[in-house]
């Protein structure tokens, strides 16, 4: 029998207060499609089909009107539920977590307007690390959209994803590459000039090159299947797929089904436990 290790005590917080303060003041604006989160609303036009079609191509049983029925999804850093809701409408059972209680309240309130979503989606205030012990190998899918560029310890975040994901489960990530172009367009233009996102939302030092993300994933029991470039057009307010990953990109990885992996079966050392407790939460 394989013994799955515990990553940390849930009594310890892993949330970065500085990251939380960035978004706390905007918690009531999540569902304003013309407001500060308009780019995230329009991102659903490509990220939702990307998730849906990838899962269906992997052999998920299709049901008319509910293609993701029976699939348990964890939406990490769910914010106000912008991605959780369309996934729920596709039939998935969605758990959305976010360290900001204000975000969870906004998500719960909006979900309550649709009785179907109220049954399919549940929201929890907290970080990924705080649910590890109670959710070992619970989810078929994890989505972390526009999240990893806000965590303090990316490798520990990925390890926690592996713990709560079922063997052969899927991890979907969208994030920003760390290039000169992403600094110019993602911070200077988007934040300081055009105001597409609130100033101070991102720190270029925390942006993640796809090569680094792939290396960390593969070192922690994942197989990277797809990396696609994404581009936002501020003139049309729409997203599209491109070959280049120099700015934004979406990644799909699958957790290994080999339960004998050392990274999943050996107990954490005292030092690793301390590192995990210091990991930042999602934004």
């Amino acid at each position: 029998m394989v013994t799955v290790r515990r990553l940390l005590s849930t009594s310890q917080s892993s949330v970065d207060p500085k990251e939380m303060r960035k978004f706390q003041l905007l918690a009531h604006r999540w569902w304003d499609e013309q407001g500060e989160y308009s780019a995230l609303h329009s991102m659903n036009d490509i990220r939702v089909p990307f998730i849906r079609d990838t899962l269906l191509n992997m052999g998920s049983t299709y049901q008319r009107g509910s293609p993701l029925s029976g699939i348990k999804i964890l939406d990490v850093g769910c914010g106000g539920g912008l991605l959780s809701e369309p996934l729920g409408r596709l039939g998935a059972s969605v758990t959305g977590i976010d360290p900001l209680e204000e975000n969870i309240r906004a998500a719960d309130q909006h979900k309550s307007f649709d009785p179907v979503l109220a049954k399919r989606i549940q929201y929890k205030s907290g970080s990924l690390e705080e649910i590890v012990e109670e959710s070992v190998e619970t989810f078929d899918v994890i989505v972390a959209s526009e999240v990893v560029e806000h965590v303090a310890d990316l490798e520990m975040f990925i390890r926690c994803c592996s713990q709560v994901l079922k063997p052969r489960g899927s991890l979907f990530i969208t994030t920003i590459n760390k290039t000169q172009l992403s600094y110019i367009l993602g911070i200077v233009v988007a934040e300081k000039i055009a105001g597409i996102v609130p100033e101070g939302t991102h720190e270029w030092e925390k942006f993640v090159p796809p090569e680094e993300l792939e290396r960390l994933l593969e070192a922690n029991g994942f197989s990277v299947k797809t990396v696609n470039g994404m581009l936002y057009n501020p003139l049309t307010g729409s997203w599209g797929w491109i070959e280049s990953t120099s700015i934004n990109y979406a990644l799909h990885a699958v957790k290994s089904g080999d339960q004998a992996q050392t990274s999943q079966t050996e107990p954490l050392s005292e030092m690793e436990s301390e590192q995990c407790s210091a990991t930042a939460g999602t934004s």
Side-chain angles (χ1 to χ4, degrees):
M1 179 180 294
V2 174
T3 301
V4 180
R5 65 190 182 179
R6 294 184 176 184
L7 285 179
L8 79 165
S9 167
T10 55
S11 63
Q12 295 174 307
S13 174
S14 61
V15 174
D16 185 342
K18 185 176 71 171
E19 290 290 343
M20 292 180 67
R21 285 194 294 270
K22 290 181 183 179
F23 302 95
Q24 196 164 20
L25 296 176
L26 296 173
H28 64 292
R29 301 296 300 274
W30 279 104
W31 289 96
D32 180 359
E33 295 188 22
Q34 306 304 318
E36 290 86 346
Y37 294 118
S38 60
L40 286 180
H41 279 275
S42 62
M43 188 185 287
N44 278 351
D45 292 340
I46 64 171
R47 62 180 174 177
V48 173
F50 175 60
I51 295 168
R52 177 199 64 203
D53 295 346
T54 299
L55 294 175
L56 292 179
N57 288 335
M58 291 177 67
S60 299
T61 302
Y62 177 80
Q63 296 184 31
R64 181 179 292 274
S66 299
L68 301 187
S69 179
I71 296 178
K72 296 184 66 173
I73 297 178
L74 176 65
D75 183 3
V76 182
C78 64
L82 271 60
L83 183 53
S84 295
E85 288 203 6
L87 294 175
R89 290 192 183 93
L90 290 173
S93 173
V94 183
T95 298
I97 60 172
D98 196 283
L100 275 179
E101 292 184 4
E102 292 89 343
N103 287 347
I104 295 301
R105 283 197 292 269
D108 267 326
Q109 182 182 22
H110 198 269
K111 175 191 72 173
S112 68
F113 297 139
D114 187 331
V116 173
L117 292 181
K119 295 179 180 179
R120 293 178 180 172
I121 302 174
Q122 63 170 332
Y123 293 113
K124 297 180 180 180
S125 176
S127 69
L128 172 61
E129 292 80 5
E130 291 173 324
I131 70 164
V132 166
E133 291 186 8
E134 66 188 51
S135 304
V136 172
E137 296 187 351
T138 295
F139 297 97
D140 303 294
V141 176
I142 295 176
V143 294
S145 187
E146 308 307 294
V147 169
V148 299
E149 66 270 26
H150 299 290
V151 302
D153 188 331
L154 181 56
E155 182 167 15
M156 192 60 69
F157 178 84
I158 291 171
R159 291 175 67 189
C160 290
C161 285
S162 179
Q163 292 297 312
V164 302
L165 194 61
K166 294 178 181 178
R168 292 176 291 278
S170 286
L171 172 62
F172 293 92
I173 293 174
T174 69
T175 189
I176 310 175
N177 198 347
K178 190 177 182 180
T179 62
Q180 290 183 337
L181 187 58
S182 71
Y183 176 79
I184 294 170
L185 296 181
I187 294 181
V188 176
V189 175
E191 295 187 15
K192 301 181 184 296
I193 297 177
I196 297 170
V197 294
E199 188 168 351
T201 297
H202 296 112
E203 298 177 26
W204 185 80
E205 292 76 12
K206 285 189 172 183
F207 288 178
V208 186
E211 299 82 7
E212 177 184 347
L213 187 55
E214 288 186 60
R215 178 183 60 80
L216 289 173
L217 287 165
E218 290 172 356
N220 285 277
F222 285 92
S223 175
V224 176
K225 301 299 184 182
T226 306
V227 182
N228 291 331
M230 304 163 60
L231 182 65
Y232 180 71
N233 185 336
L235 298 179
T236 61
S238 61
W239 289 84
W241 298 112
I242 59 173
E243 290 188 10
S244 173
T245 60
S246 59
I247 308 174
N248 296 79
Y249 63 96
L251 179 149
H252 170 234
V254 175
K255 176 182 172 181
S256 170
D258 180 6
Q259 293 306 289
Q261 292 184 75
T262 300
S263 64
Q264 294 180 20
T265 58
E266 290 184 354
L268 283 177
S269 67
E270 182 178 349
M271 181 179 294
E272 287 176 315
S273 296
E274 291 175 356
Q275 288 175 340
C276 192
S277 66
T279 306
T282 56
S283 64

